[in-house]
Amino acid sequence: MKTINRHTAQTFNTWQRPLAVAVLAACSLGAALPAFADAENDALKREVAEQKVLIQKIFAELQSLRAAQAAAPAAAPVAAPATSVGAKVASLVPGAPQLSFYGALDGGYEHISNVQQGSNKGSLNRLPSVTGTIASRVGVKAVKELTEGYKAIGVAEAGFNMDDGTLGQGGRLFGRQLYAGIDTPVGTFTFGRQYSMLLFGMDSSDLLGPNIYGLGSFDYYLPSARFDNSIAWRGTFSKLSMGINYSAGRDTKGGTPSSGTCAGEIAGNANSCKGWSAMIRYDDERFGLAAATDVQHGGTGAAASFFNGTAAIPFTSSGDTDTRTALGGYVKLGQGKIGVGWLGRKVDAAAAQVKSDIYYVEGAHPITTRISVDGSFQRILNKDQGRDGSLIVLRGFYSFDKDFATYLQLAHIDNSSNAQYAASVGAGISPPAGGSQNASMIGLRYRF
């Protein structure tokens, strides 16, 4: 019996010692876990505190920088390039062209009185498609420095209708402008679809420009005065600017109402659908003067319209010519500006010879930093067709900033007994012969 107990005791002692060691280790580990967790928490708290101190330091430095900027005199703003409306997109590739994306969205709601549409007569409410104060567009401009004083340039600009999103300018993808060329110390040389120089000669005195109520109400060509297939040169030398544009086929897809198309570029007939324009202007700080001309030749598919209710004149011979000549000037009076001008037109075609003259006086003045007004009185005389008219326009703008504005504009037009000039632009909006019209529009304009 004693032998068995001795053996049992030895066996117990054999496994008891390791068990005791394991138990003691487990107890020690259990006691150490809370201490380990406390150490981790303390480290995390110290790190959070250090981050908090760093953030407070950064905020203090930013506040100090803002205070210093506020106390410093304001720097003179850097003028944006005249040819770009949008912000520049910096090139990420060395040597790549510098790109600018720009555009304008302009539209609103219009009411026109005394509209004659076939047998329907009355007031018309609509969202105009073509324009409000400026035509809606998006564009991209590219500039690449070649060497000192020489740059490669290009523009692709699309126009579209705000009411339904369709393309303007006869459905062209880049109907407003599409050209490439080179800018040099002696001027810019470009080729493609480009503005007539008539517009550059008139834009300083015609303050309303392509507005839906304006010179375009008497001559629909003015808002769309461009040449396809053209080469151009334009230069500015101190206060004097000049330019010339030549087209071998001025209008391949149309765009001006009641004027057809005129593609040209016919072998053996260089004058068919040819067009050219030129301008010269002088701009001083307080005043300016300008002269311009635009000459178009007839060809297959072309017509010449005076937009007054008379039928379009056949304009199918390369010997037919449609010439517009403009003289204008402006003067600045304080913050205001007054522009005056004359636009003469002469159609000399085998089918008819017709002349017209438009005279205009326009003014613009800011009321406050956000509110501005402008207006115009325009008169057209067309003795050959016995159709005269007078247009009065008044506009007001409220600008939320330099790019976004809302506007209200009013117009009234009077016609002679046979004339049907419309106050606004577009198809199907003319009054009855000899009728007058009132028109109004409220809209928004966003430039980017």
Side-chain angles (χ1 to χ4, degrees), residues 84-129:
S84 176
V85 182
K88 289 183 178 179
V89 182
S91 173
L92 300 179
V93 182
Q98 188 177 59
L99 299 179
S100 298
F101 176 75
Y102 63 92
L105 302 174
D106 190 326
Y109 189 76
E110 183 183 30
H111 174 82
I112 310 173
S113 69
N114 197 24
V115 174
Q116 181 81 54
Q117 295 179 337
S119 60
N120 298 321
K121 180 181 176 182
S123 296
L124 173 66
N125 299 309
R126 65 169 187 167
L127 273 69
S129 60

mmCIF file of all heavy atoms in Angstrom, residues 84-129:
data_model
loop_
_atom_site.group_PDB
_atom_site.id
_atom_site.type_symbol
_atom_site.label_atom_id
_atom_site.label_comp_id
_atom_site.label_asym_id
_atom_site.label_seq_id
_atom_site.Cartn_x
_atom_site.Cartn_y
_atom_site.Cartn_z
ATOM 1 N N SER A 84 -10.670 84.961 -75.452
ATOM 2 C CA SER A 84 -11.112 83.838 -74.626
ATOM 3 C C SER A 84 -12.107 84.298 -73.605
ATOM 4 O O SER A 84 -11.933 85.307 -72.952
ATOM 5 C CB SER A 84 -9.913 83.187 -73.933
ATOM 6 O OG SER A 84 -10.334 82.169 -73.070
ATOM 7 N N VAL A 85 -13.176 83.564 -73.424
ATOM 8 C CA VAL A 85 -14.184 83.873 -72.432
ATOM 9 C C VAL A 85 -14.015 82.986 -71.216
ATOM 10 O O VAL A 85 -14.297 83.381 -70.107
ATOM 11 C CB VAL A 85 -15.599 83.694 -73.012
ATOM 12 C CG1 VAL A 85 -16.663 84.055 -71.998
ATOM 13 C CG2 VAL A 85 -15.772 84.548 -74.251
ATOM 14 N N GLY A 86 -13.573 81.763 -71.407
ATOM 15 C CA GLY A 86 -13.492 80.779 -70.341
ATOM 16 C C GLY A 86 -12.136 80.754 -69.688
ATOM 17 O O GLY A 86 -11.180 81.417 -70.093
ATOM 18 N N ALA A 87 -12.000 79.949 -68.609
ATOM 19 C CA ALA A 87 -10.752 79.785 -67.895
ATOM 20 C C ALA A 87 -9.826 78.876 -68.687
ATOM 21 O O ALA A 87 -10.253 77.943 -69.341
ATOM 22 C CB ALA A 87 -11.017 79.188 -66.522
ATOM 23 N N LYS A 88 -8.529 79.141 -68.580
ATOM 24 C CA LYS A 88 -7.582 78.335 -69.327
ATOM 25 C C LYS A 88 -7.403 76.983 -68.646
ATOM 26 O O LYS A 88 -7.365 76.877 -67.446
ATOM 27 C CB LYS A 88 -6.229 79.050 -69.407
ATOM 28 C CG LYS A 88 -6.251 80.264 -70.318
ATOM 29 C CD LYS A 88 -4.883 80.881 -70.421
ATOM 30 C CE LYS A 88 -4.904 82.062 -71.381
ATOM 31 N NZ LYS A 88 -3.591 82.704 -71.480
ATOM 32 N N VAL A 89 -7.288 75.962 -69.480
ATOM 33 C CA VAL A 89 -6.980 74.633 -69.002
ATOM 34 C C VAL A 89 -5.489 74.422 -69.193
ATOM 35 O O VAL A 89 -5.003 74.337 -70.314
ATOM 36 C CB VAL A 89 -7.777 73.565 -69.780
ATOM 37 C CG1 VAL A 89 -7.469 72.182 -69.232
ATOM 38 C CG2 VAL A 89 -9.262 73.853 -69.698
ATOM 39 N N ALA A 90 -4.746 74.366 -68.086
ATOM 40 C CA ALA A 90 -3.297 74.279 -68.183
ATOM 41 C C ALA A 90 -2.886 72.958 -68.816
ATOM 42 O O ALA A 90 -3.425 71.906 -68.508
ATOM 43 C CB ALA A 90 -2.681 74.408 -66.800
ATOM 44 N N SER A 91 -1.948 73.050 -69.718
ATOM 45 C CA SER A 91 -1.468 71.840 -70.386
ATOM 46 C C SER A 91 -0.600 71.040 -69.433
ATOM 47 O O SER A 91 0.226 71.579 -68.705
ATOM 48 C CB SER A 91 -0.669 72.232 -71.626
ATOM 49 O OG SER A 91 -0.066 71.097 -72.189
ATOM 50 N N LEU A 92 -0.806 69.728 -69.422
ATOM 51 C CA LEU A 92 -0.025 68.841 -68.582
ATOM 52 C C LEU A 92 1.173 68.279 -69.328
ATOM 53 O O LEU A 92 2.027 67.629 -68.733
ATOM 54 C CB LEU A 92 -0.908 67.690 -68.075
ATOM 55 C CG LEU A 92 -2.115 68.110 -67.235
ATOM 56 C CD1 LEU A 92 -2.911 66.878 -66.835
ATOM 57 C CD2 LEU A 92 -1.694 68.888 -66.011
ATOM 58 N N VAL A 93 1.261 68.471 -70.626
ATOM 59 C CA VAL A 93 2.336 67.931 -71.438
ATOM 60 C C VAL A 93 3.206 69.082 -71.918
ATOM 61 O O VAL A 93 2.715 69.992 -72.583
ATOM 62 C CB VAL A 93 1.784 67.149 -72.641
ATOM 63 C CG1 VAL A 93 2.926 66.564 -73.446
ATOM 64 C CG2 VAL A 93 0.823 66.064 -72.170
ATOM 65 N N PRO A 94 4.497 69.068 -71.596
ATOM 66 C CA PRO A 94 5.368 70.150 -72.064
ATOM 67 C C PRO A 94 5.327 70.270 -73.580
ATOM 68 O O PRO A 94 5.399 69.279 -74.308
ATOM 69 C CB PRO A 94 6.754 69.699 -71.564
ATOM 70 C CG PRO A 94 6.476 68.790 -70.415
ATOM 71 C CD PRO A 94 5.192 68.086 -70.761
ATOM 72 N N GLY A 95 5.199 71.511 -74.074
ATOM 73 C CA GLY A 95 5.164 71.741 -75.501
ATOM 74 C C GLY A 95 3.801 71.589 -76.138
ATOM 75 O O GLY A 95 3.645 71.865 -77.324
ATOM 76 N N ALA A 96 2.811 71.129 -75.367
ATOM 77 C CA ALA A 96 1.461 70.973 -75.913
ATOM 78 C C ALA A 96 0.784 72.337 -75.991
ATOM 79 O O ALA A 96 1.152 73.272 -75.289
ATOM 80 C CB ALA A 96 0.644 70.022 -75.047
ATOM 81 N N PRO A 97 -0.229 72.496 -76.866
ATOM 82 C CA PRO A 97 -0.911 73.791 -76.956
ATOM 83 C C PRO A 97 -1.682 74.113 -75.696
ATOM 84 O O PRO A 97 -2.137 73.220 -74.975
ATOM 85 C CB PRO A 97 -1.850 73.598 -78.156
ATOM 86 C CG PRO A 97 -2.047 72.128 -78.253
ATOM 87 C CD PRO A 97 -0.766 71.521 -77.815
ATOM 88 N N GLN A 98 -1.831 75.389 -75.435
ATOM 89 C CA GLN A 98 -2.627 75.856 -74.306
ATOM 90 C C GLN A 98 -4.084 75.927 -74.759
ATOM 91 O O GLN A 98 -4.396 76.558 -75.767
ATOM 92 C CB GLN A 98 -2.129 77.229 -73.865
ATOM 93 C CG GLN A 98 -2.766 77.717 -72.570
ATOM 94 C CD GLN A 98 -2.183 79.051 -72.152
ATOM 95 O OE1 GLN A 98 -2.263 80.027 -72.905
ATOM 96 N NE2 GLN A 98 -1.584 79.109 -70.985
ATOM 97 N N LEU A 99 -4.976 75.284 -74.036
ATOM 98 C CA LEU A 99 -6.373 75.184 -74.426
ATOM 99 C C LEU A 99 -7.245 76.058 -73.539
ATOM 100 O O LEU A 99 -7.011 76.167 -72.335
ATOM 101 C CB LEU A 99 -6.858 73.736 -74.346
ATOM 102 C CG LEU A 99 -6.145 72.722 -75.237
ATOM 103 C CD1 LEU A 99 -6.733 71.339 -75.015
ATOM 104 C CD2 LEU A 99 -6.265 73.111 -76.698
ATOM 105 N N SER A 100 -8.260 76.661 -74.136
ATOM 106 C CA SER A 100 -9.262 77.422 -73.400
ATOM 107 C C SER A 100 -10.643 76.926 -73.804
ATOM 108 O O SER A 100 -10.950 76.829 -74.999
ATOM 109 C CB SER A 100 -9.167 78.929 -73.711
ATOM 110 O OG SER A 100 -7.916 79.442 -73.322
ATOM 111 N N PHE A 101 -11.454 76.585 -72.825
ATOM 112 C CA PHE A 101 -12.836 76.184 -73.059
ATOM 113 C C PHE A 101 -13.737 77.325 -72.616
ATOM 114 O O PHE A 101 -13.565 77.871 -71.534
ATOM 115 C CB PHE A 101 -13.162 74.913 -72.273
ATOM 116 C CG PHE A 101 -14.601 74.493 -72.376
ATOM 117 C CD1 PHE A 101 -15.086 73.902 -73.525
ATOM 118 C CD2 PHE A 101 -15.479 74.700 -71.318
ATOM 119 C CE1 PHE A 101 -16.411 73.517 -73.625
ATOM 120 C CE2 PHE A 101 -16.799 74.319 -71.402
ATOM 121 C CZ PHE A 101 -17.266 73.722 -72.562
ATOM 122 N N TYR A 102 -14.675 77.717 -73.467
ATOM 123 C CA TYR A 102 -15.524 78.854 -73.150
ATOM 124 C C TYR A 102 -16.920 78.632 -73.718
ATOM 125 O O TYR A 102 -17.165 77.700 -74.488
ATOM 126 C CB TYR A 102 -14.927 80.155 -73.719
ATOM 127 C CG TYR A 102 -14.836 80.155 -75.228
ATOM 128 C CD1 TYR A 102 -15.866 80.671 -76.017
ATOM 129 C CD2 TYR A 102 -13.721 79.629 -75.879
ATOM 130 C CE1 TYR A 102 -15.793 80.660 -77.395
ATOM 131 C CE2 TYR A 102 -13.636 79.617 -77.260
ATOM 132 C CZ TYR A 102 -14.671 80.131 -78.011
ATOM 133 O OH TYR A 102 -14.597 80.112 -79.386
ATOM 134 N N GLY A 103 -17.843 79.504 -73.341
ATOM 135 C CA GLY A 103 -19.193 79.379 -73.874
ATOM 136 C C GLY A 103 -20.138 80.424 -73.314
ATOM 137 O O GLY A 103 -19.752 81.266 -72.489
ATOM 138 N N ALA A 104 -21.370 80.358 -73.767
ATOM 139 C CA ALA A 104 -22.424 81.260 -73.300
ATOM 140 C C ALA A 104 -23.765 80.559 -73.448
ATOM 141 O O ALA A 104 -24.003 79.874 -74.450
ATOM 142 C CB ALA A 104 -22.415 82.568 -74.089
ATOM 143 N N LEU A 105 -24.605 80.725 -72.448
ATOM 144 C CA LEU A 105 -25.980 80.227 -72.481
ATOM 145 C C LEU A 105 -26.885 81.429 -72.267
ATOM 146 O O LEU A 105 -26.771 82.122 -71.257
ATOM 147 C CB LEU A 105 -26.207 79.181 -71.385
ATOM 148 C CG LEU A 105 -25.294 77.953 -71.421
ATOM 149 C CD1 LEU A 105 -25.530 77.091 -70.200
ATOM 150 C CD2 LEU A 105 -25.522 77.156 -72.691
ATOM 151 N N ASP A 106 -27.763 81.687 -73.230
ATOM 152 C CA ASP A 106 -28.614 82.876 -73.173
ATOM 153 C C ASP A 106 -29.991 82.499 -73.701
ATOM 154 O O ASP A 106 -30.139 82.083 -74.850
ATOM 155 C CB ASP A 106 -28.003 83.992 -74.026
ATOM 156 C CG ASP A 106 -28.695 85.333 -73.825
ATOM 157 O OD1 ASP A 106 -29.935 85.349 -73.608
ATOM 158 O OD2 ASP A 106 -28.016 86.368 -73.885
ATOM 159 N N GLY A 107 -30.998 82.644 -72.875
ATOM 160 C CA GLY A 107 -32.360 82.323 -73.307
ATOM 161 C C GLY A 107 -33.375 82.908 -72.356
ATOM 162 O O GLY A 107 -33.043 83.393 -71.275
ATOM 163 N N GLY A 108 -34.635 82.868 -72.781
ATOM 164 C CA GLY A 108 -35.688 83.418 -71.940
ATOM 165 C C GLY A 108 -37.058 83.225 -72.565
ATOM 166 O O GLY A 108 -37.253 82.413 -73.474
ATOM 167 N N TYR A 109 -37.995 84.007 -72.075
ATOM 168 C CA TYR A 109 -39.404 83.915 -72.487
ATOM 169 C C TYR A 109 -39.802 85.223 -73.153
ATOM 170 O O TYR A 109 -39.536 86.309 -72.619
ATOM 171 C CB TYR A 109 -40.272 83.643 -71.262
ATOM 172 C CG TYR A 109 -41.708 83.307 -71.592
ATOM 173 C CD1 TYR A 109 -42.048 82.053 -72.089
ATOM 174 C CD2 TYR A 109 -42.727 84.236 -71.389
ATOM 175 C CE1 TYR A 109 -43.354 81.729 -72.389
ATOM 176 C CE2 TYR A 109 -44.049 83.925 -71.679
ATOM 177 C CZ TYR A 109 -44.359 82.670 -72.179
ATOM 178 O OH TYR A 109 -45.663 82.346 -72.477
ATOM 179 N N GLU A 110 -40.442 85.116 -74.325
ATOM 180 C CA GLU A 110 -40.738 86.302 -75.128
ATOM 181 C C GLU A 110 -42.225 86.389 -75.458
ATOM 182 O O GLU A 110 -42.887 85.373 -75.702
ATOM 183 C CB GLU A 110 -39.923 86.258 -76.418
ATOM 184 C CG GLU A 110 -40.107 87.489 -77.310
ATOM 185 C CD GLU A 110 -39.350 87.382 -78.616
ATOM 186 O OE1 GLU A 110 -39.159 86.249 -79.105
ATOM 187 O OE2 GLU A 110 -38.963 88.437 -79.160
ATOM 188 N N HIS A 111 -42.707 87.629 -75.502
ATOM 189 C CA HIS A 111 -44.082 87.922 -75.930
ATOM 190 C C HIS A 111 -44.020 88.920 -77.081
ATOM 191 O O HIS A 111 -43.350 89.963 -76.986
ATOM 192 C CB HIS A 111 -44.896 88.516 -74.774
ATOM 193 C CG HIS A 111 -46.262 88.963 -75.182
ATOM 194 N ND1 HIS A 111 -47.328 88.094 -75.291
ATOM 195 C CD2 HIS A 111 -46.742 90.202 -75.531
ATOM 196 C CE1 HIS A 111 -48.407 88.769 -75.667
ATOM 197 N NE2 HIS A 111 -48.072 90.047 -75.819
ATOM 198 N N ILE A 112 -44.707 88.613 -78.201
ATOM 199 C CA ILE A 112 -44.750 89.491 -79.366
ATOM 200 C C ILE A 112 -46.210 89.722 -79.743
ATOM 201 O O ILE A 112 -46.988 88.765 -79.859
ATOM 202 C CB ILE A 112 -44.023 88.865 -80.580
ATOM 203 C CG1 ILE A 112 -42.623 88.379 -80.193
ATOM 204 C CG2 ILE A 112 -43.918 89.871 -81.716
ATOM 205 C CD1 ILE A 112 -41.928 87.599 -81.288
ATOM 206 N N SER A 113 -46.578 90.973 -79.952
ATOM 207 C CA SER A 113 -47.958 91.304 -80.316
ATOM 208 C C SER A 113 -48.119 91.363 -81.832
ATOM 209 O O SER A 113 -47.148 91.487 -82.577
ATOM 210 C CB SER A 113 -48.357 92.659 -79.703
ATOM 211 O OG SER A 113 -47.643 93.720 -80.342
ATOM 212 N N ASN A 114 -49.369 91.272 -82.298
ATOM 213 C CA ASN A 114 -49.744 91.522 -83.691
ATOM 214 C C ASN A 114 -48.934 90.693 -84.692
ATOM 215 O O ASN A 114 -48.340 91.220 -85.635
ATOM 216 C CB ASN A 114 -49.595 93.020 -83.999
ATOM 217 C CG ASN A 114 -50.337 93.415 -85.270
ATOM 218 O OD1 ASN A 114 -51.293 92.744 -85.687
ATOM 219 N ND2 ASN A 114 -49.913 94.506 -85.880
ATOM 220 N N VAL A 115 -48.921 89.385 -84.489
ATOM 221 C CA VAL A 115 -48.211 88.472 -85.384
ATOM 222 C C VAL A 115 -49.189 87.895 -86.401
ATOM 223 O O VAL A 115 -50.294 87.465 -86.051
ATOM 224 C CB VAL A 115 -47.539 87.334 -84.589
ATOM 225 C CG1 VAL A 115 -46.918 86.312 -85.526
ATOM 226 C CG2 VAL A 115 -46.494 87.905 -83.633
ATOM 227 N N GLN A 116 -48.781 87.895 -87.668
ATOM 228 C CA GLN A 116 -49.595 87.321 -88.746
ATOM 229 C C GLN A 116 -48.950 86.020 -89.213
ATOM 230 O O GLN A 116 -47.858 86.017 -89.776
ATOM 231 C CB GLN A 116 -49.691 88.302 -89.916
ATOM 232 C CG GLN A 116 -50.534 87.798 -91.078
ATOM 233 C CD GLN A 116 -52.033 87.987 -90.854
ATOM 234 O OE1 GLN A 116 -52.482 89.096 -90.570
ATOM 235 N NE2 GLN A 116 -52.788 86.903 -90.968
ATOM 236 N N GLN A 117 -49.606 84.889 -88.960
ATOM 237 C CA GLN A 117 -49.141 83.580 -89.414
ATOM 238 C C GLN A 117 -50.218 82.966 -90.307
ATOM 239 O O GLN A 117 -51.110 82.269 -89.823
ATOM 240 C CB GLN A 117 -48.842 82.655 -88.227
ATOM 241 C CG GLN A 117 -47.687 83.098 -87.347
ATOM 242 C CD GLN A 117 -47.467 82.156 -86.178
ATOM 243 O OE1 GLN A 117 -48.364 81.429 -85.756
ATOM 244 N NE2 GLN A 117 -46.256 82.176 -85.640
ATOM 245 N N GLY A 118 -50.157 83.273 -91.590
ATOM 246 C CA GLY A 118 -51.193 82.800 -92.491
ATOM 247 C C GLY A 118 -52.537 83.389 -92.110
ATOM 248 O O GLY A 118 -52.712 84.608 -92.038
ATOM 249 N N SER A 119 -53.496 82.509 -91.827
ATOM 250 C CA SER A 119 -54.822 82.972 -91.400
ATOM 251 C C SER A 119 -54.885 83.251 -89.911
ATOM 252 O O SER A 119 -55.882 83.789 -89.416
ATOM 253 C CB SER A 119 -55.879 81.917 -91.774
ATOM 254 O OG SER A 119 -55.591 80.678 -91.134
ATOM 255 N N ASN A 120 -53.839 82.897 -89.168
ATOM 256 C CA ASN A 120 -53.804 83.149 -87.723
ATOM 257 C C ASN A 120 -53.181 84.509 -87.442
ATOM 258 O O ASN A 120 -52.152 84.869 -88.023
ATOM 259 C CB ASN A 120 -53.003 82.067 -87.005
ATOM 260 C CG ASN A 120 -53.611 80.690 -87.157
ATOM 261 O OD1 ASN A 120 -54.833 80.531 -87.123
ATOM 262 N ND2 ASN A 120 -52.767 79.681 -87.325
ATOM 263 N N LYS A 121 -53.815 85.242 -86.547
ATOM 264 C CA LYS A 121 -53.329 86.562 -86.193
ATOM 265 C C LYS A 121 -53.542 86.793 -84.704
ATOM 266 O O LYS A 121 -54.601 86.475 -84.165
ATOM 267 C CB LYS A 121 -54.051 87.646 -87.001
ATOM 268 C CG LYS A 121 -53.596 89.067 -86.683
ATOM 269 C CD LYS A 121 -54.365 90.093 -87.510
ATOM 270 C CE LYS A 121 -53.980 91.511 -87.120
ATOM 271 N NZ LYS A 121 -54.745 92.527 -87.884
ATOM 272 N N GLY A 122 -52.534 87.351 -84.048
ATOM 273 C CA GLY A 122 -52.652 87.627 -82.620
ATOM 274 C C GLY A 122 -51.286 87.687 -81.965
ATOM 275 O O GLY A 122 -50.252 87.825 -82.638
ATOM 276 N N SER A 123 -51.264 87.563 -80.655
ATOM 277 C CA SER A 123 -50.018 87.608 -79.899
ATOM 278 C C SER A 123 -49.355 86.235 -79.892
ATOM 279 O O SER A 123 -50.015 85.198 -79.998
ATOM 280 C CB SER A 123 -50.281 88.076 -78.465
ATOM 281 O OG SER A 123 -50.777 89.407 -78.459
ATOM 282 N N LEU A 124 -48.051 86.251 -79.747
ATOM 283 C CA LEU A 124 -47.274 85.019 -79.742
ATOM 284 C C LEU A 124 -46.402 84.986 -78.500
ATOM 285 O O LEU A 124 -45.695 85.953 -78.192
ATOM 286 C CB LEU A 124 -46.388 84.949 -80.993
ATOM 287 C CG LEU A 124 -45.391 83.793 -81.072
ATOM 288 C CD1 LEU A 124 -46.117 82.463 -81.174
ATOM 289 C CD2 LEU A 124 -44.424 83.977 -82.239
ATOM 290 N N ASN A 125 -46.450 83.863 -77.773
ATOM 291 C CA ASN A 125 -45.556 83.625 -76.646
ATOM 292 C C ASN A 125 -44.623 82.468 -77.022
ATOM 293 O O ASN A 125 -45.079 81.435 -77.511
ATOM 294 C CB ASN A 125 -46.343 83.264 -75.389
ATOM 295 C CG ASN A 125 -47.284 84.374 -74.963
ATOM 296 O OD1 ASN A 125 -46.867 85.522 -74.849
ATOM 297 N ND2 ASN A 125 -48.539 84.052 -74.739
ATOM 298 N N ARG A 126 -43.340 82.631 -76.763
ATOM 299 C CA ARG A 126 -42.395 81.605 -77.183
ATOM 300 C C ARG A 126 -41.079 81.706 -76.409
ATOM 301 O O ARG A 126 -40.800 82.704 -75.736
ATOM 302 C CB ARG A 126 -42.095 81.727 -78.668
ATOM 303 C CG ARG A 126 -41.379 83.026 -79.030
ATOM 304 C CD ARG A 126 -40.859 83.032 -80.453
ATOM 305 N NE ARG A 126 -40.037 84.200 -80.728
ATOM 306 C CZ ARG A 126 -39.258 84.351 -81.791
ATOM 307 N NH1 ARG A 126 -39.211 83.398 -82.704
ATOM 308 N NH2 ARG A 126 -38.523 85.436 -81.970
ATOM 309 N N LEU A 127 -40.287 80.642 -76.506
ATOM 310 C CA LEU A 127 -38.889 80.657 -76.114
ATOM 311 C C LEU A 127 -38.080 80.772 -77.394
ATOM 312 O O LEU A 127 -38.032 79.828 -78.180
ATOM 313 C CB LEU A 127 -38.498 79.376 -75.355
ATOM 314 C CG LEU A 127 -38.725 79.364 -73.840
ATOM 315 C CD1 LEU A 127 -40.213 79.342 -73.518
ATOM 316 C CD2 LEU A 127 -38.009 78.185 -73.202
ATOM 317 N N PRO A 128 -37.462 81.911 -77.658
ATOM 318 C CA PRO A 128 -36.726 82.077 -78.918
ATOM 319 C C PRO A 128 -35.582 81.087 -79.021
ATOM 320 O O PRO A 128 -34.936 80.738 -78.024
ATOM 321 C CB PRO A 128 -36.200 83.517 -78.836
ATOM 322 C CG PRO A 128 -37.020 84.178 -77.779
ATOM 323 C CD PRO A 128 -37.409 83.115 -76.820
ATOM 324 N N SER A 129 -35.325 80.648 -80.232
ATOM 325 C CA SER A 129 -34.264 79.662 -80.418
ATOM 326 C C SER A 129 -32.908 80.295 -80.656
ATOM 327 O O SER A 129 -31.885 79.775 -80.218
ATOM 328 C CB SER A 129 -34.616 78.745 -81.595
ATOM 329 O OG SER A 129 -34.746 79.501 -82.789
#
